[in-house]
């Protein structure tokens, strides 16, 4: 396997610039993304418009990730991280002008969401494949865990701050935040002193590069025959369909089952569904940070798939408990909240080991394509799961959906833990 050429010194400095730059940039993008989608839903009050907004914000990223992975294997990864930030900032400014001049039509919003999603499809595989170029293999798990903590922090801060800004400022002012945070992220990335060596000898002009499609086919073949990559993709697809997609129905679950049940806190009582959902997201984010901190110190099980299997069994069990929380025997919003908190706590056991395992075992020249395909699987599995679970929840009690999905996922989790072909 072709080894990555790591910098001899300063890797902590370089990794810190990459992670902090991405944290600031993604935080600004997430904050603005919440603001755009919420404003779209409030302005139109249309479920179809909101659904299409979700599609424009997610599906292009999944499809673009395949080509984004190819780009990450063929072009400087640092540039592929910065250029999408620049494009996203420019389109956010354009939408800000649209709001300022009362020309922010639904189609303009869709266009901006579409472009932002495409940019994320290029940037995400570039970041995932750039990180092991800067970090020694022995430190990858802890660095990935730290990155997971930062992403969990975004899930807490972005929606809360976005809601506060929407109530205080006009949309055009909020959109400028994206441009500012993108500029900060780009500046920090440019401070990295030692970029990784190019994967292809650009000085050899006689070397003919394969076509895009042949490169992508090569990536697909590699993933299909690589025992670890193929298994990881199967794990992600099943986990997101059976364990993560039901969680996407939490607003409907809470609205149907706990509308009249209050959450009594020491300092206040939450009565509305939106207040309860806000608390749920806060508890989830805090638990995810706690889980990430434990992973940073501990490093997970020696076998990465063991960590992933434990995570999936935790997610499946939490779904089962969330389903039972609405049963006549329990009927407790607190049980639902605590079960949802468990999903945040075990999530780092799935994401960090999966990224680390791929970074440890995949050839440097294939990292971009592998992460691009993994991103595509992960991003497409969620709407696929929702497309099945959503209509099903209208035919049978939604709590049965949670319990059934959890029960189906548990044997898969055991398979992951005990039948892995992981090397090392």
């Amino acid at each position: 396997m072709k080894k990555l050429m790591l910098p001899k010194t300063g890797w902590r400095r370089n990794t810190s610039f990459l992670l902090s730059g991405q944290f600031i940039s993604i935080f600004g993008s997430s904050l603005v993304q919440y603001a755009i989608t919420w404003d779209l839903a409030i302005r139109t009050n249309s479920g179809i418009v909101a659904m299409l907004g979700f599609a424009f914000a997610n599906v292009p990223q999944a499809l673009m990730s395949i080509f984004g992975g190819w780009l990450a294997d063929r072009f400087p990864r640092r540039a592929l991280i910065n250029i999408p930030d620049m494009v996203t900032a420019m389109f956010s400014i354009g939408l800000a002008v649209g709001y300022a001049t009362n020309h922010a039509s639904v189609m303009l919003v869709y266009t901006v969401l579409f472009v932002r999603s495409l940019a994320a499809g290029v940037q995400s595989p570039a970041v995932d494949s750039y990180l092991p170029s800067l970090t020694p293999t022995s430190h990858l798990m802890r660095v990935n865990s730290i990155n997971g903590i930062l992403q969990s922090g975004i899930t807490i801060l972005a929606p809360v701050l976005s809601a506060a800004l929407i109530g205080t400022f006009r949309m055009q002012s909020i959109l400028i935040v994206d441009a500012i945070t993108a500029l900060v992220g780009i500046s920090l990335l440019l401070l990295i002193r030692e970029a990784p060596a190019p994967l292809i000898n650009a000085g050899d002009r006689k070397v003919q590069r394969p076509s895009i499609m042949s490169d992508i086919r090569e990536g697909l073949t590699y993933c299909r025959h690589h025992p670890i990559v193929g298994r990881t993709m199967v794990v992600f697809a099943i986990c997101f369909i059976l364990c993560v997609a039901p969680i996407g129905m939490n607003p409907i679950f809470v609205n149907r089952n706990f509308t009249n049940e209050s959450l009594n806190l020491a300092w206040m009582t939450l009565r509305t569904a939106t207040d309860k959902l806000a608390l749920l997201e806060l508890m989830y984010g805090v638990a995810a940070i706690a889980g990430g901190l434990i992973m940073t110190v501990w490093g997970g099980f020696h076998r990465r798939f063991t960590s992933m299997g434990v995570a999936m069994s935790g997610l499946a069990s939490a779904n089962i408990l969330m389903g039972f929380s609405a049963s006549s025997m329990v009927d407790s919003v607190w049980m639902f909240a605590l079960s949802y908190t468990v999903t945040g706590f075990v999530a780092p056991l799935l994401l960090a080991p999966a990224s680390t395992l791929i970074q440890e075992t995949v050839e440097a020249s294939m990292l971009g394509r592998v992460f691009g395909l993994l991103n595509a699987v992960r991003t497409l599995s969620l709407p696929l799961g929702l497309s099945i679970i959503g209509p099903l929840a209208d035919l049978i009690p939604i709590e049965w959906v949670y319990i059934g999905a959890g029960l189906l996922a548990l044997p898969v989790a055991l398979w992951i833990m005990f039948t892995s072909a992981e090397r090392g």
Side-chain angles (χ1 to χ4, degrees), residues 320-340:
I320 294 171
L321 291 174
M322 283 190 280
F324 277 116
S325 71
S327 67
S328 57
M329 294 182 296
V330 181
D331 192 23
S332 171
V333 66
W334 274 114
M335 180 175 173
F336 182 87
L338 293 174
S339 302
Y340 183 49

Side-chain angles (χ1 to χ4, degrees), residues 373-384:
L373 290 168
L374 184 63
N375 262 344
V377 169
R378 183 170 59 183
T379 310
L380 287 175
S381 296
L382 182 56
L384 175 61

Side-chain angles (χ1 to χ4, degrees), residues 31 51 98 132 147 150 210 217 239 251 264 274-275 298 318 328 338 372 390-391 398:
L31 186 152
M51 179 195 69
N147 191 33
L150 295 175
R217 282 196 298 270
C239 189
N264 296 313
T274 52
D275 287 343
W298 169 40
S328 57
L338 293 174
I398 191 170

Side-chain angles (χ1 to χ4, degrees), residues 235-236 239 243-244 247 295 298 301 303-319 342-354 409-410 412-414 416-417:
V235 170
F236 269 59
C239 189
C243 297
V244 180
I247 294 172
M295 284 295 293
W298 169 40
F301 294 98
R303 291 175 67 254
R304 308 299 188 199
F305 276 111
T306 300
S307 297
M308 295 160 65
V310 170
M312 188 169 177
S313 63
L315 291 170
S317 300
N319 273 343
V342 170
T343 67
F345 185 76
V346 301
L349 270 173
L350 174 71
L351 301 176
L410 276 177
V412 180
L414 294 175
I416 295 166
M417 283 189 280

